[in-house]
Amino acid sequence: MSTPIITLRPSGWTFAAQDGETLLRAAERAGIELASSCRNGTCRACICRLAPDSRGAAVRYLVDWPGLSVDEKRDGYLLPCVAVAEEDVAIEQRLARRMPA
Ligand code: FES
């Protein structure tokens, strides 16, 4: 299986997601902090959106009912704490921060 590359917008930062790794965990492993709280797909603290050129990209969830409506999913919203990218994606997350080394 390939290693999806995740691009954050507008920063342009990129990181690789290992097989089955959530976007949140992959970002943290790369030293990037995304908003989060529950980390189980219920609180919505981490909600962000696929960039327009990534809408429709293959993203799967580790839980059956992530805290998103059908309309939100269709509009490209996702919860990085429980979302796994199956291919390269770009997501809009203005609150991403580099973690101190
Ligand atoms: S951190 Fe709570 S839904 Fe993602």
Side-chain angles (χ1 to χ4, degrees), residues 58-97:
V59 175
R60 68 180 168 87
Y61 281 96
L62 299 180
V63 296
D64 289 337
W65 300 103
L68 292 172
S69 70
V70 172
D71 287 345
E72 287 172 328
K73 283 188 192 176
R74 187 178 49 238
D75 289 343
Y77 288 95
L78 77 165
L79 299 175
C81 69
V82 288
V84 174
E86 302 281 326
E87 58 186 315
D88 295 353
V89 296
I91 60 176
E92 298 169 345
Q93 178 47 280
R94 295 183 178 281
L95 301 178
R97 297 186 318 155

Side-chain angles (χ1 to χ4, degrees), residues 24 35-47 67 79-82:
L24 178 64
S36 69
S37 182
C38 74
R39 307 174 76 94
N40 64 19
T42 57
C43 76
R44 297 168 55 98
C46 64
I47 194 168
L79 299 175
C81 69
V82 288

